[in-house]
Amino acid sequence: QVQLVESGGGLVQAGGSLRLSCAASGRTFSTYAMGWFRQAPGKERDFVAAWSAGNKYYANSVKGRFTISRDNAKNTVYLQMNSLKPEDTAVYYCAASNRDSRYYGSQYDYWGQGTQVTVSA
């Protein structure tokens, strides 16, 4: 069982930055694919970014603005979010999978509780 705890959300003005963190339990963190997803009110959960099998993947809407990184020694994955826009407002979730996983939430086995990101205009 893997437990994921996100942090780093908050309120920021448009154009600002935030860095989300997701701390994972477990001894085999380095072998897990890690993903970030988000869900805005009244909308479906959307893929944001993933790190799987040494490769990084991004949604088109965040390419060039968001960066996923991980520190295996700290069992933590990060999402650096720059040039934030009001449309980035959502609850952000991290997810983990013990197989190659990318864009689809159904590929992930474990989920955090989410952290709210609000971007004001």
Side-chain angles (χ1 to χ4, degrees):
Q1 187 76 5
V2 175
Q3 292 186 330
L4 304 172
V5 179
E6 301 100 333
S7 61
L11 173 64
V12 64
Q13 289 187 332
S17 298
L18 283 174
R19 188 177 80 157
L20 305 183
S21 300
C22 174
S25 64
R27 300 179 182 176
T28 57
F29 174 79
S30 62
T31 66
Y32 279 80
M34 299 298 297
W36 286 97
F37 290 77
R38 66 187 181 186
Q39 187 167 21
K43 296 188 177 181
E44 294 185 350
R45 182 178 60 195
D46 289 333
F47 168 76
V48 176
W51 185 315
S52 182
N55 297 306
K56 301 179 186 181
Y57 304 89
Y58 296 97
N60 287 335
S61 59
V62 306
K63 274 182 184 176
R65 300 188 299 121
F66 290 12
T67 302
I68 187 171
S69 62
R70 64 192 295 165
D71 185 337
N72 290 333
K74 295 183 178 179
N75 278 18
T76 301
V77 64
Y78 304 97
L79 185 68
Q80 178 66 45
M81 305 186 295
N82 299 329
S83 302
L84 282 161
K85 304 175 181 180
E87 51 263 42
D88 294 318
T89 295
V91 178
Y92 284 70
Y93 299 90
C94 76
S97 171
N98 57 14
R99 55 192 182 279
D100 185 15
S101 300
R102 301 174 192 180
Y103 308 110
Y104 303 103
S106 59
Q107 295 176 306
Y108 293 82
D109 306 299
Y110 307 101
W111 292 84
Q113 82 290 347
T115 186
Q116 176 71 48
V117 171
T118 303
V119 185
S120 62

